[in-house]
């Protein structure tokens, strides 16, 4: 069997193992094996092919590992409308209790609403900003 064919089979096998395990680094090693296959197609010796596979695959792994992690710009789950369907909905608050809570009817159930610290509670329409446990943190609409 020709050397390029062996490299392509190794690269394909590595991709298959990556699909089974979910280890992204195996894809980087498969890139190195594909580069070695290309070197074999160009007539490079086995030593050069091994060096190309090691340098390209190892370099890709190192580059991916050293790549700076991007910071997530999404809010936490309790305040993320993509996670919690209650975020952004409006509720009617008729009166606030002296302890800073209010009882509201929302989605067919009684909920306890709380307001942000430092904000004076006023009756009226409020927007759900977060779900804190079993309480709705609301902002004035």
């Amino acid at each position: 069997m020709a050397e390029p064919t062996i490299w392509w089979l190794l690269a394909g096998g590595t991709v298959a193992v990556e699909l089974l395990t979910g280890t992204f680094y195996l894809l980087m090693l498969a890139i190195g094996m594909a580069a070695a296959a290309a070197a074999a197609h160009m007539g490079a010796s086995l030593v050069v092919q091994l060096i190309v596979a090691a340098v390209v695959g190892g370099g890709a792994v190192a580059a991916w590992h050293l790549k700076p992690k991007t910071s997530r710009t999404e809010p936490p789950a309790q305040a993320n409308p993509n996670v919690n369907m209650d975020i952004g909905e409006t509720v009617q608050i008729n009166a606030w209790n002296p302890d800073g809570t209010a009882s509201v009817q929302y989605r067919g159930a009684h909920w306890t609403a709380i307001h942000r610290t430092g904000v004076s509670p006023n009756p009226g329409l409020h927007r759900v900003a977060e779900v804190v446990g079993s309480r709705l943190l609301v902002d004035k609409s």
Side-chain angles (χ1 to χ4, degrees):
M1 190 178 303
E3 289 176 348
T5 305
I6 294 171
W7 282 113
W8 287 118
L9 290 173
L10 286 172
T14 305
V15 170
V17 171
E18 189 282 330
L19 290 172
L20 294 173
T21 63
T23 306
F24 191 75
Y25 291 105
L26 287 177
L27 288 179
M28 302 295 116
L29 294 177
I31 291 171
M33 292 175 198
H41 279 295
M42 289 188 268
S45 68
L46 180 60
V47 173
V48 173
Q49 295 170 30
L50 290 170
I51 291 172
V52 167
V55 169
V56 172
V61 168
W64 186 260
H65 183 72
L66 295 175
K67 180 182 151 243
K69 307 293 186 245
T70 57
S71 63
R72 293 185 59 130
T73 57
E74 290 186 12
Q78 67 265 19
N80 189 342
N82 294 329
V83 174
N84 194 327
M85 69 180 193
D86 299 319
I87 307 303
E89 296 295 320
T90 57
V91 294
Q92 175 66 34
I93 297 179
N94 297 325
W96 287 91
N97 299 326
D99 65 352
T101 64
S103 180
V104 295
Q105 185 75 18
Y106 175 64
R107 290 197 298 140
H110 288 284
W111 289 72
T112 300
I114 56 175
H115 59 83
R116 293 192 189 275
T117 53
V119 177
S120 61
N122 295 321
L125 276 179
H126 288 74
R127 185 185 64 81
V128 177
E130 287 185 39
V131 177
V132 182
S134 62
R135 295 178 168 207
L136 302 174
L137 177 70
V138 296
D139 292 326
K140 186 75 173 156
S141 292

